[in-house]
Amino acid sequence: MSQPGWYPDPYGTGSLRWWDGETWTERLNPEPDRPPRLRLPPAQDRPPEVEEHDEEPAYGTHYAAPHFQQPTWDARPAMRPLDQNVRGLPLYADDRFVAYGTASLAWPHVEWVAYWAAERPAAYGRPGCTQWIFQAGRYPFRGGPRVEVVIEQDALTSGGDGEPEYVWGRLIQLCQEYAEQRLVGEMARRVRAGESIDVAQGLTVHPGGVRGNRVSLSWSSIAGATVDGGRVWIQQTSSAAPVLYVPQQNPNAVLIPALLTQLRL
């Protein structure tokens, strides 16, 4: 795709997204004014080994991950490693590091994470499919080392852990257990110490609250954050409609719900 224009959104919002000739921008047509209502799939269609919670994240064109909204990080027995081939390359993750192909990162060195799933539209005789995407890396975001895995139904070889969504979920669980708890704790400590930090390339979290996209919210006016329609939405205590969001695929956007929970305690 080389010509700028409006195309079906590859992130599955149901809108058209503007392609500038090189990258997908944040411009949507039409622009949603609130997150869509998504349907939770039947229990038998959810990934295995996911703990049940009273409030589970919504599933739809974009998929929330296990423990996505409210990771517990309670002490649990060591999780077994993930060992799988994806597109003929070895994918491995355990309590020490994650590696895919020739790229690898130790969990203590990870500075940002991102994961989401979206429908890839059919094009040029290629059928559409769901892509499960996982990224972890170090800054700078566009130049630092990273591990990036794109999992599709036909990308897995026989053996290993099986279905793409299950492999993706296992990878996210390991990331949450061995990287995200540290990242959220570090960011929360910095804010409590008086710093303002940029999260997810669009949200500033500071001692007084959050701001982004010309919107500023104090801690007393924040009800929490939810993941829906490929975005992380900040909710107000005084309104049912959220007014502030960042794209789910932005670095560390997936940490916003847990970070806001810690800072609002």
PDB file of all heavy atoms in Angstrom, residues 121-143:
ATOM      1  N   PRO A 121      -7.210  -7.208   7.396  1.00  0.00           N
ATOM      2  CA  PRO A 121      -8.182  -7.315   6.304  1.00  0.00           C
ATOM      3  C   PRO A 121      -7.630  -8.123   5.139  1.00  0.00           C
ATOM      4  O   PRO A 121      -6.420  -8.211   4.932  1.00  0.00           O
ATOM      5  CB  PRO A 121      -8.416  -5.848   5.910  1.00  0.00           C
ATOM      6  CG  PRO A 121      -7.160  -5.144   6.316  1.00  0.00           C
ATOM      7  CD  PRO A 121      -6.685  -5.841   7.560  1.00  0.00           C
ATOM      8  N   ALA A 122      -8.523  -8.713   4.385  1.00  0.00           N
ATOM      9  CA  ALA A 122      -8.113  -9.430   3.181  1.00  0.00           C
ATOM     10  C   ALA A 122      -7.604  -8.434   2.148  1.00  0.00           C
ATOM     11  O   ALA A 122      -8.127  -7.323   2.016  1.00  0.00           O
ATOM     12  CB  ALA A 122      -9.295 -10.221   2.621  1.00  0.00           C
ATOM     13  N   ALA A 123      -6.563  -8.816   1.407  1.00  0.00           N
ATOM     14  CA  ALA A 123      -5.997  -7.923   0.398  1.00  0.00           C
ATOM     15  C   ALA A 123      -5.157  -8.727  -0.579  1.00  0.00           C
ATOM     16  O   ALA A 123      -4.432  -9.651  -0.184  1.00  0.00           O
ATOM     17  CB  ALA A 123      -5.139  -6.839   1.054  1.00  0.00           C
ATOM     18  N   TYR A 124      -5.277  -8.370  -1.867  1.00  0.00           N
ATOM     19  CA  TYR A 124      -4.458  -8.968  -2.915  1.00  0.00           C
ATOM     20  C   TYR A 124      -4.524 -10.492  -2.895  1.00  0.00           C
ATOM     21  O   TYR A 124      -3.508 -11.186  -3.002  1.00  0.00           O
ATOM     22  CB  TYR A 124      -3.004  -8.501  -2.786  1.00  0.00           C
ATOM     23  CG  TYR A 124      -2.860  -6.998  -2.758  1.00  0.00           C
ATOM     24  CD1 TYR A 124      -2.505  -6.330  -1.589  1.00  0.00           C
ATOM     25  CD2 TYR A 124      -3.120  -6.234  -3.899  1.00  0.00           C
ATOM     26  CE1 TYR A 124      -2.387  -4.949  -1.557  1.00  0.00           C
ATOM     27  CE2 TYR A 124      -3.000  -4.854  -3.880  1.00  0.00           C
ATOM     28  CZ  TYR A 124      -2.640  -4.223  -2.714  1.00  0.00           C
ATOM     29  OH  TYR A 124      -2.529  -2.855  -2.688  1.00  0.00           O
ATOM     30  N   GLY A 125      -5.731 -11.029  -2.774  1.00  0.00           N
ATOM     31  CA  GLY A 125      -5.912 -12.463  -2.789  1.00  0.00           C
ATOM     32  C   GLY A 125      -5.554 -13.160  -1.491  1.00  0.00           C
ATOM     33  O   GLY A 125      -5.672 -14.383  -1.396  1.00  0.00           O
ATOM     34  N   ARG A 126      -5.125 -12.427  -0.501  1.00  0.00           N
ATOM     35  CA  ARG A 126      -4.776 -12.996   0.794  1.00  0.00           C
ATOM     36  C   ARG A 126      -5.976 -12.888   1.722  1.00  0.00           C
ATOM     37  O   ARG A 126      -6.537 -11.808   1.892  1.00  0.00           O
ATOM     38  CB  ARG A 126      -3.590 -12.233   1.384  1.00  0.00           C
ATOM     39  CG  ARG A 126      -3.094 -12.749   2.723  1.00  0.00           C
ATOM     40  CD  ARG A 126      -1.977 -11.858   3.229  1.00  0.00           C
ATOM     41  NE  ARG A 126      -2.430 -10.477   3.423  1.00  0.00           N
ATOM     42  CZ  ARG A 126      -1.621  -9.484   3.780  1.00  0.00           C
ATOM     43  NH1 ARG A 126      -0.345  -9.704   3.929  1.00  0.00           N
ATOM     44  NH2 ARG A 126      -2.116  -8.267   3.942  1.00  0.00           N
ATOM     45  N   PRO A 127      -6.403 -13.986   2.326  1.00  0.00           N
ATOM     46  CA  PRO A 127      -7.586 -13.922   3.193  1.00  0.00           C
ATOM     47  C   PRO A 127      -7.313 -13.116   4.462  1.00  0.00           C
ATOM     48  O   PRO A 127      -6.167 -13.015   4.921  1.00  0.00           O
ATOM     49  CB  PRO A 127      -7.855 -15.394   3.522  1.00  0.00           C
ATOM     50  CG  PRO A 127      -6.517 -16.063   3.380  1.00  0.00           C
ATOM     51  CD  PRO A 127      -5.822 -15.343   2.266  1.00  0.00           C
ATOM     52  N   GLY A 128      -8.349 -12.540   5.022  1.00  0.00           N
ATOM     53  CA  GLY A 128      -8.203 -11.858   6.299  1.00  0.00           C
ATOM     54  C   GLY A 128      -7.979 -12.857   7.426  1.00  0.00           C
ATOM     55  O   GLY A 128      -8.313 -14.034   7.308  1.00  0.00           O
ATOM     56  N   CYS A 129      -7.411 -12.377   8.504  1.00  0.00           N
ATOM     57  CA  CYS A 129      -7.165 -13.256   9.640  1.00  0.00           C
ATOM     58  C   CYS A 129      -6.940 -12.412  10.885  1.00  0.00           C
ATOM     59  O   CYS A 129      -6.774 -11.200  10.810  1.00  0.00           O
ATOM     60  CB  CYS A 129      -5.948 -14.159   9.400  1.00  0.00           C
ATOM     61  SG  CYS A 129      -4.363 -13.286   9.419  1.00  0.00           S
ATOM     62  N   THR A 130      -6.962 -13.057  12.033  1.00  0.00           N
ATOM     63  CA  THR A 130      -6.634 -12.394  13.289  1.00  0.00           C
ATOM     64  C   THR A 130      -5.146 -12.484  13.540  1.00  0.00           C
ATOM     65  O   THR A 130      -4.531 -13.536  13.367  1.00  0.00           O
ATOM     66  CB  THR A 130      -7.381 -13.038  14.461  1.00  0.00           C
ATOM     67  OG1 THR A 130      -8.790 -12.954  14.223  1.00  0.00           O
ATOM     68  CG2 THR A 130      -7.061 -12.315  15.768  1.00  0.00           C
ATOM     69  N   GLN A 131      -4.547 -11.380  13.925  1.00  0.00           N
ATOM     70  CA  GLN A 131      -3.134 -11.332  14.307  1.00  0.00           C
ATOM     71  C   GLN A 131      -3.049 -11.044  15.803  1.00  0.00           C
ATOM     72  O   GLN A 131      -3.658 -10.103  16.294  1.00  0.00           O
ATOM     73  CB  GLN A 131      -2.386 -10.250  13.532  1.00  0.00           C
ATOM     74  CG  GLN A 131      -2.271 -10.517  12.046  1.00  0.00           C
ATOM     75  CD  GLN A 131      -1.495  -9.429  11.331  1.00  0.00           C
ATOM     76  OE1 GLN A 131      -1.704  -8.240  11.566  1.00  0.00           O
ATOM     77  NE2 GLN A 131      -0.601  -9.821  10.441  1.00  0.00           N
ATOM     78  N   TRP A 132      -2.290 -11.848  16.504  1.00  0.00           N
ATOM     79  CA  TRP A 132      -2.008 -11.633  17.918  1.00  0.00           C
ATOM     80  C   TRP A 132      -0.584 -11.111  18.016  1.00  0.00           C
ATOM     81  O   TRP A 132       0.374 -11.796  17.624  1.00  0.00           O
ATOM     82  CB  TRP A 132      -2.173 -12.924  18.700  1.00  0.00           C
ATOM     83  CG  TRP A 132      -3.598 -13.343  18.877  1.00  0.00           C
ATOM     84  CD1 TRP A 132      -4.434 -13.018  19.889  1.00  0.00           C
ATOM     85  CD2 TRP A 132      -4.363 -14.183  17.995  1.00  0.00           C
ATOM     86  NE1 TRP A 132      -5.664 -13.593  19.713  1.00  0.00           N
ATOM     87  CE2 TRP A 132      -5.656 -14.313  18.563  1.00  0.00           C
ATOM     88  CE3 TRP A 132      -4.082 -14.842  16.794  1.00  0.00           C
ATOM     89  CZ2 TRP A 132      -6.653 -15.062  17.967  1.00  0.00           C
ATOM     90  CZ3 TRP A 132      -5.086 -15.584  16.199  1.00  0.00           C
ATOM     91  CH2 TRP A 132      -6.349 -15.694  16.778  1.00  0.00           C
ATOM     92  N   ILE A 133      -0.416  -9.905  18.544  1.00  0.00           N
ATOM     93  CA  ILE A 133       0.859  -9.193  18.475  1.00  0.00           C
ATOM     94  C   ILE A 133       1.382  -8.956  19.884  1.00  0.00           C
ATOM     95  O   ILE A 133       0.641  -8.527  20.781  1.00  0.00           O
ATOM     96  CB  ILE A 133       0.681  -7.857  17.741  1.00  0.00           C
ATOM     97  CG1 ILE A 133       0.137  -8.121  16.323  1.00  0.00           C
ATOM     98  CG2 ILE A 133       1.996  -7.075  17.676  1.00  0.00           C
ATOM     99  CD1 ILE A 133      -0.585  -6.965  15.716  1.00  0.00           C
ATOM    100  N   PHE A 134       2.657  -9.220  20.062  1.00  0.00           N
ATOM    101  CA  PHE A 134       3.328  -8.978  21.341  1.00  0.00           C
ATOM    102  C   PHE A 134       4.645  -8.267  21.071  1.00  0.00           C
ATOM    103  O   PHE A 134       5.399  -8.662  20.190  1.00  0.00           O
ATOM    104  CB  PHE A 134       3.604 -10.290  22.078  1.00  0.00           C
ATOM    105  CG  PHE A 134       4.416 -10.114  23.340  1.00  0.00           C
ATOM    106  CD1 PHE A 134       3.780  -9.867  24.547  1.00  0.00           C
ATOM    107  CD2 PHE A 134       5.800 -10.189  23.303  1.00  0.00           C
ATOM    108  CE1 PHE A 134       4.534  -9.684  25.707  1.00  0.00           C
ATOM    109  CE2 PHE A 134       6.551 -10.008  24.453  1.00  0.00           C
ATOM    110  CZ  PHE A 134       5.924  -9.758  25.658  1.00  0.00           C
ATOM    111  N   GLN A 135       4.920  -7.220  21.864  1.00  0.00           N
ATOM    112  CA  GLN A 135       6.172  -6.490  21.762  1.00  0.00           C
ATOM    113  C   GLN A 135       6.710  -6.197  23.161  1.00  0.00           C
ATOM    114  O   GLN A 135       5.935  -5.884  24.075  1.00  0.00           O
ATOM    115  CB  GLN A 135       5.981  -5.153  21.022  1.00  0.00           C
ATOM    116  CG  GLN A 135       5.483  -5.282  19.605  1.00  0.00           C
ATOM    117  CD  GLN A 135       5.163  -3.927  18.990  1.00  0.00           C
ATOM    118  OE1 GLN A 135       4.978  -2.928  19.699  1.00  0.00           O
ATOM    119  NE2 GLN A 135       5.095  -3.870  17.674  1.00  0.00           N
ATOM    120  N   ALA A 136       8.007  -6.254  23.306  1.00  0.00           N
ATOM    121  CA  ALA A 136       8.680  -5.820  24.530  1.00  0.00           C
ATOM    122  C   ALA A 136      10.028  -5.260  24.116  1.00  0.00           C
ATOM    123  O   ALA A 136      10.683  -5.812  23.221  1.00  0.00           O
ATOM    124  CB  ALA A 136       8.861  -6.982  25.510  1.00  0.00           C
ATOM    125  N   GLY A 137      10.443  -4.160  24.740  1.00  0.00           N
ATOM    126  CA  GLY A 137      11.688  -3.561  24.289  1.00  0.00           C
ATOM    127  C   GLY A 137      12.269  -2.565  25.271  1.00  0.00           C
ATOM    128  O   GLY A 137      11.803  -2.410  26.403  1.00  0.00           O
ATOM    129  N   ARG A 138      13.305  -1.908  24.781  1.00  0.00           N
ATOM    130  CA  ARG A 138      13.985  -0.852  25.521  1.00  0.00           C
ATOM    131  C   ARG A 138      13.923   0.428  24.692  1.00  0.00           C
ATOM    132  O   ARG A 138      13.813   0.391  23.467  1.00  0.00           O
ATOM    133  CB  ARG A 138      15.453  -1.229  25.789  1.00  0.00           C
ATOM    134  CG  ARG A 138      15.604  -2.410  26.733  1.00  0.00           C
ATOM    135  CD  ARG A 138      17.072  -2.792  26.921  1.00  0.00           C
ATOM    136  NE  ARG A 138      17.861  -1.706  27.487  1.00  0.00           N
ATOM    137  CZ  ARG A 138      17.949  -1.434  28.785  1.00  0.00           C
ATOM    138  NH1 ARG A 138      17.272  -2.178  29.657  1.00  0.00           N
ATOM    139  NH2 ARG A 138      18.692  -0.450  29.222  1.00  0.00           N
ATOM    140  N   TYR A 139      13.968   1.560  25.377  1.00  0.00           N
ATOM    141  CA  TYR A 139      13.958   2.843  24.672  1.00  0.00           C
ATOM    142  C   TYR A 139      15.326   3.110  24.043  1.00  0.00           C
ATOM    143  O   TYR A 139      16.325   2.601  24.518  1.00  0.00           O
ATOM    144  CB  TYR A 139      13.578   3.953  25.648  1.00  0.00           C
ATOM    145  CG  TYR A 139      12.141   3.875  26.106  1.00  0.00           C
ATOM    146  CD1 TYR A 139      11.824   3.541  27.421  1.00  0.00           C
ATOM    147  CD2 TYR A 139      11.095   4.115  25.218  1.00  0.00           C
ATOM    148  CE1 TYR A 139      10.494   3.461  27.840  1.00  0.00           C
ATOM    149  CE2 TYR A 139       9.766   4.034  25.632  1.00  0.00           C
ATOM    150  CZ  TYR A 139       9.488   3.713  26.936  1.00  0.00           C
ATOM    151  OH  TYR A 139       8.185   3.623  27.336  1.00  0.00           O
ATOM    152  N   PRO A 140      15.346   3.894  22.931  1.00  0.00           N
ATOM    153  CA  PRO A 140      14.217   4.588  22.298  1.00  0.00           C
ATOM    154  C   PRO A 140      13.276   3.611  21.616  1.00  0.00           C
ATOM    155  O   PRO A 140      13.701   2.581  21.097  1.00  0.00           O
ATOM    156  CB  PRO A 140      14.897   5.515  21.279  1.00  0.00           C
ATOM    157  CG  PRO A 140      16.189   4.833  20.960  1.00  0.00           C
ATOM    158  CD  PRO A 140      16.620   4.176  22.240  1.00  0.00           C
ATOM    159  N   PHE A 141      12.004   3.977  21.594  1.00  0.00           N
ATOM    160  CA  PHE A 141      10.973   3.060  21.122  1.00  0.00           C
ATOM    161  C   PHE A 141      11.223   2.616  19.681  1.00  0.00           C
ATOM    162  O   PHE A 141      11.042   1.452  19.337  1.00  0.00           O
ATOM    163  CB  PHE A 141       9.597   3.731  21.244  1.00  0.00           C
ATOM    164  CG  PHE A 141       8.472   2.906  20.691  1.00  0.00           C
ATOM    165  CD1 PHE A 141       8.144   1.679  21.262  1.00  0.00           C
ATOM    166  CD2 PHE A 141       7.727   3.357  19.600  1.00  0.00           C
ATOM    167  CE1 PHE A 141       7.102   0.917  20.757  1.00  0.00           C
ATOM    168  CE2 PHE A 141       6.684   2.598  19.092  1.00  0.00           C
ATOM    169  CZ  PHE A 141       6.379   1.370  19.675  1.00  0.00           C
ATOM    170  N   ARG A 142      11.638   3.521  18.819  1.00  0.00           N
ATOM    171  CA  ARG A 142      11.793   3.178  17.409  1.00  0.00           C
ATOM    172  C   ARG A 142      13.220   2.786  17.036  1.00  0.00           C
ATOM    173  O   ARG A 142      13.488   2.493  15.881  1.00  0.00           O
ATOM    174  CB  ARG A 142      11.329   4.336  16.527  1.00  0.00           C
ATOM    175  CG  ARG A 142       9.881   4.699  16.769  1.00  0.00           C
ATOM    176  CD  ARG A 142       9.280   5.495  15.633  1.00  0.00           C
ATOM    177  NE  ARG A 142       7.890   5.824  15.911  1.00  0.00           N
ATOM    178  CZ  ARG A 142       6.876   5.008  15.709  1.00  0.00           C
ATOM    179  NH1 ARG A 142       7.097   3.785  15.240  1.00  0.00           N
ATOM    180  NH2 ARG A 142       5.638   5.378  15.985  1.00  0.00           N
ATOM    181  N   GLY A 143      14.117   2.764  17.992  1.00  0.00           N
ATOM    182  CA  GLY A 143      15.491   2.400  17.654  1.00  0.00           C
ATOM    183  C   GLY A 143      16.145   1.436  18.620  1.00  0.00           C
ATOM    184  O   GLY A 143      17.214   0.885  18.333  1.00  0.00           O
TER     185      GLY A 143
END
